[in-house]
Amino acid sequence: MKKVLVTGGAGFIGSNFIHFALENMRDITIINLDALTYAGNLENLADLEGDTRYSFVHGDICNMECLTSIFTSNEINAVVHFAAESHVDRSIKNPMAFILTNIVGTANLLNASLHAWERMKESQGSAFRFLHISTDEVFGSLGADDPPFTEQSAYAPNSPYAASKASADYLVRSYGQTYGLPAIITNCSNNYGAYQYPEKFIPLIILNAIDGKPLPIYGDGGQIRDWLYVDDHCAALLKILENGKPGQSYNIGGNNQCTNLEIAHRICTMLDELLPDSAHK
């Protein structure tokens, strides 16, 4: 039985991953560690109540005592690290919160994982994985004629959020190179799907359009994003967790490059079809 520590499992992608993993892997148990900040919602996981393969710990990756307790009390075989501050606008208003959680918190988790991994027997230690979930924001922005990012793309973070995630990526890489911790980094494009926090672009456009409110589009809406359905992301993460090579990084995308304005138009067209009696067109 593989015991996996999932950090940030009450958030959007984390809660989808927990559901997906439990549905697709019978030999897995999951400990969900989440600080339950504004983006964490245990209602996302309410249907798992009573499932003996799932447990929840209310705690913060910035609390080293909490992390040490979890690793001491459990034989953790893998860490899947989602916990992060992730909203660009919030990072501009309050960058220190992102530096604390995304950089210091990741460093704490790496240290706790390293100490636990070093205590394992050789057979267990070789099977351990530290899977760090990052973002393609670390690579900067794509122009209209630019090819998609690859694993060889240079880092060029353009916001405090992106810079904090880039810093975390470098920390994870350094623990693999320096200590041999079997760590893997994934950089995903923009996710969408169930349980997404409503301040994010797609749910915000949907909700505002339904209510007849203005649709917030930055500038001319020409910013290009690659959109990835969250279940497809989770499927990729499970494959990487089982077959990925320590020390590698893997980009996960949906091959759906669209402008923000195009996404908004698509949503409005679909809502007009789904809600034909709405007063808002």
Side-chain angles (χ1 to χ4, degrees), residues 21 24 76 103 145 177 183 187 208 234:
N24 289 278
I76 303 295
I103 302 177
D145 299 320
Q177 294 292 316
N187 298 91
N208 281 21
C234 293

Side-chain angles (χ1 to χ4, degrees), residues 125-139:
S126 63
F128 182 87
R129 293 292 182 270
F130 185 104
L131 181 56
H132 172 62
I133 317 304
S134 189
T135 170
D136 65 354
E137 295 269 355
V138 300
F139 302 124

Side-chain angles (χ1 to χ4, degrees), residues 247-277:
Q248 292 291 107
S249 64
Y250 298 92
N251 283 6
I252 305 173
N255 197 26
N256 285 302
Q257 281 94 8
C258 305
T259 66
N260 285 348
L261 190 61
E262 184 180 357
I263 291 292
H265 279 301
R266 288 189 186 186
I267 290 171
C268 289
T269 298
M270 287 187 283
L271 287 176
D272 283 345
E273 295 173 357
L274 293 168
L275 303 172
D277 298 326

Side-chain angles (χ1 to χ4, degrees), residues 94-117:
N94 184 17
M96 291 308 299
F98 286 70
I99 291 168
L100 181 62
T101 297
N102 298 357
I103 302 177
V104 177
T106 297
N108 282 345
L109 186 61
L110 282 165
N111 280 321
S113 300
L114 177 63
H115 295 154
W117 174 68

Side-chain angles (χ1 to χ4, degrees), residues 9 18 38 59 71 75 97 143 146 181 197 201 224 231 243 274 277:
I18 289 173
Y38 73 94
F71 279 97
E75 292 185 2
D146 291 340
L181 183 71
Y197 194 69
F201 182 68
I224 296 173
D231 277 3
N243 302 306
L274 293 168
D277 298 326

Side-chain angles (χ1 to χ4, degrees), residues 12-268:
F12 164 44
I13 304 177
S15 59
N16 276 283
F17 175 80
I18 289 173
H19 279 111
F20 194 90
L22 291 174
E23 289 169 6
N24 289 278
M25 296 180 69
R26 303 310 304 172
D27 62 339
I28 191 173
T29 61
I30 291 176
I31 300 172
N32 173 18
L33 172 66
D34 199 294
L36 296 181
T37 58
Y38 73 94
N41 185 0
L42 286 180
E43 287 297 314
N44 296 349
L45 300 157
D47 59 315
L48 297 180
E49 186 174 346
D51 191 327
T52 57
R53 297 181 300 150
Y54 169 77
S55 60
F56 171 71
V57 176
H58 186 193
D60 194 329
I61 57 172
C62 292
N63 185 335
M64 194 65 187
E65 187 175 322
C66 173
L67 293 175
T68 300
S69 175
I70 291 173
F71 279 97
T72 301
S73 304
N74 300 275
E75 292 185 2
I76 303 295
N77 306 113
V79 175
V80 183
H81 178 34
F82 293 99
E85 293 281 352
S86 64
H87 197 263
V88 173
D89 289 351
R90 287 177 181 263
S91 78
I92 295 169
K93 294 177 182 177
N94 184 17
M96 291 308 299
F98 286 70
I99 291 168
L100 181 62
T101 297
N102 298 357
I103 302 177
V104 177
T106 297
N108 282 345
L109 186 61
L110 282 165
N111 280 321
S113 300
L114 177 63
H115 295 154
W117 174 68
E118 289 176 337
R119 291 194 301 267
M120 293 178 182
K121 295 178 181 178
E122 185 174 337
S123 58
Q124 292 174 308
S126 63
F128 182 87
R129 293 292 182 270
F130 185 104
L131 181 56
H132 172 62
I133 317 304
S134 189
T135 170
D136 65 354
E137 295 269 355
V138 300
F139 302 124
S141 301
L142 284 176
D145 299 320
D146 291 340
F149 297 125
T150 72
E151 287 82 355
Q152 285 72 47
S153 295
Y155 275 36
N158 292 326
S159 69
Y161 160 59
S164 67
K165 290 297 287 185
S167 299
D169 290 6
Y170 284 135
L171 278 172
V172 173
R173 173 181 166 81
S174 74
Y175 272 65
Q177 294 292 316
T178 303
Y179 306 108
L181 183 71
I184 300 171
I185 299 169
T186 62
N187 298 91
C188 69
S189 56
N190 288 37
N191 281 223
Y192 67 96
Y195 312 128
Q196 190 164 25
Y197 194 69
E199 73 181 3
K200 297 291 187 174
F201 182 68
I202 287 180
L204 182 62
I205 294 295
I206 293 171
L207 294 172
N208 281 21
I210 289 172
D211 293 337
K213 296 178 180 178
L215 307 184
I217 307 290
Y218 290 109
D220 62 1
Q223 303 90 343
I224 296 173
R225 299 287 184 269
D226 177 57
W227 293 96
L228 171 65
Y229 182 52
V230 67
D231 277 3
D232 293 335
H233 185 193
C234 293
L237 291 175
L238 271 191
K239 184 177 287 290
I240 291 167
L241 186 62
E242 293 183 303
N243 302 306
K245 182 179 178 182
Q248 292 291 107
S249 64
Y250 298 92
N251 283 6
I252 305 173
N255 197 26
N256 285 302
Q257 281 94 8
C258 305
T259 66
N260 285 348
L261 190 61
E262 184 180 357
I263 291 292
H265 279 301
R266 288 189 186 186
I267 290 171
C268 289

